[in-house]
Amino acid sequence: MRIALVGYGKMGKIIDEIATKRGHEVVARLKETPTVENLNNPDVVIEFSLPEVAFDNIKACLENKIPVICGTTGWLEKKPEIEKLAVENETAFLYGSNFSLGVNLFFALNEKLADLMKNVDEYSCQLEEIHHIHKLDAPSGTAISIAEGIFKHNPKFDAWKLEETQDNQLGIFAIREDEVPGTHSVFYRSEVDEIEIKHTAFNRNGFALGAVVAAEWIKDKKGNFAMKDVLGL
């Protein structure tokens, strides 16, 4: 495939390396806004940029009927508009708060546990995420996805908030520490014990590989998708 990388930071460089090893051609490496000219006719765009420019980047690609794989978090209030654009332009859009295979399995486990705990009033729930000090958004997009998975199964909660859980608001502790790639935990605590599920990333390679696999999967598809579609979860 011909792949254009929009947002060429640490993740972009790892994606570049993995895509090339898997036999793809990287035809653009952009730090600027994508255009027809500088994208160089790709089959798909992989977008890992910054929250403040992600919407414009994705919009420009979809309007030119180029499928987009997006891993940028912190801009999701405009996601419905992007999903509408993908349909109108008869192309494809796939957003992932996290492309790691392990994290997407963790999402499924989190939903199963939330369903088991929904009627057990003795336990309170709390989330925690730890990321590197360069991460701009808090909480992480992955933590928000985890919270939304809990909302689907536990009627006690319908919103999230930073810091401690309070009433119907599920608490998320967002910690920024050194060069941590990403650690996410869900705790259920009672007066006598605690249940915890946790995912720890050792490096960014899992995120990058997942993004390339998603790009391979989305070829010739139309509509809006997520990593659970790619992995059949």
Side-chain angles (χ1 to χ4, degrees):
M1 295 177 69
R2 292 170 60 84
I3 297 175
L5 302 179
V6 176
Y8 199 68
K10 290 179 180 178
M11 275 297 296
K13 290 171 184 174
I14 300 170
I15 291 169
D16 192 347
E17 182 179 339
I18 289 174
T20 301
K21 283 181 179 177
R22 290 173 72 90
H24 304 299
E25 181 184 2
V26 177
V27 297
R29 301 168 178 84
L30 304 181
K31 292 185 177 180
E32 66 272 24
T33 303
T35 64
V36 174
E37 292 76 20
N38 64 21
L39 282 170
N40 199 20
N41 192 31
D43 296 311
V44 63
V45 164
I46 300 179
E47 205 275 354
F48 274 82
S49 62
L50 298 170
E52 59 268 24
V53 297
F55 176 81
D56 289 338
N57 287 346
I58 301 162
K59 182 173 182 285
C61 297
L62 295 180
E63 287 178 341
N64 286 292
K65 301 186 182 299
I66 303 168
V68 178
I69 307 296
C70 174
T72 306
T73 59
W75 63 277
L76 293 188
E77 69 282 355
K78 294 183 175 181
K79 185 166 173 268
E81 189 174 340
I82 287 296
E83 291 175 336
K84 183 181 176 187
L85 271 176
V87 173
E88 288 174 349
N89 287 282
E90 298 184 338
T91 186
F93 174 68
L94 188 153
Y95 168 77
S97 60
N98 195 309
F99 284 91
S100 157
L101 172 61
V103 164
N104 283 277
L105 292 168
F106 183 85
F107 287 158
L109 178 61
N110 170 61
E111 290 197 29
K112 179 63 176 177
L113 182 56
D115 188 52
L116 290 171
M117 301 298 290
K118 65 184 177 185
N119 295 319
V120 187
D121 294 333
E122 289 82 2
Y123 289 84
S124 63
C125 188
Q126 180 74 44
L127 308 188
E128 178 185 275
E129 57 100 342
I130 308 171
H131 278 89
H132 52 85
I133 57 174
H134 314 289
K135 187 166 182 60
L136 299 180
D137 54 322
S140 68
T142 302
I144 292 172
S145 293
I146 293 168
E148 289 173 345
I150 293 171
F151 300 160
K152 283 171 61 176
H153 299 279
N154 193 329
K156 297 174 190 172
F157 302 110
D158 58 16
W160 59 263
K161 67 185 286 287
L162 285 170
E163 303 300 333
E164 291 187 14
T165 295
Q166 185 176 14
D167 299 325
N168 68 320
Q169 294 183 308
L170 182 61
I172 305 174
F173 287 112
I175 300 166
R176 298 294 172 260
E177 186 177 288
D178 301 327
E179 296 298 324
V180 175
T183 301
H184 295 85
S185 303
V186 180
F187 303 92
Y188 288 89
R189 295 188 179 111
S190 74
E191 291 184 0
V192 296
D193 61 8
E194 176 179 272
I195 301 168
E196 176 188 358
I197 58 172
K198 180 179 183 180
H199 179 273
T200 303
F202 299 140
N203 53 54
R204 292 183 173 89
N205 289 13
F207 311 141
L209 175 60
V212 176
V213 169
E216 294 168 349
W217 178 89
I218 210 167
K219 185 175 173 61
D220 299 325
K221 292 183 173 64
K222 294 179 181 179
N224 294 288
F225 304 98
M227 276 302 285
K228 66 180 182 180
D229 300 309
V230 178
L231 300 173
L233 295 175

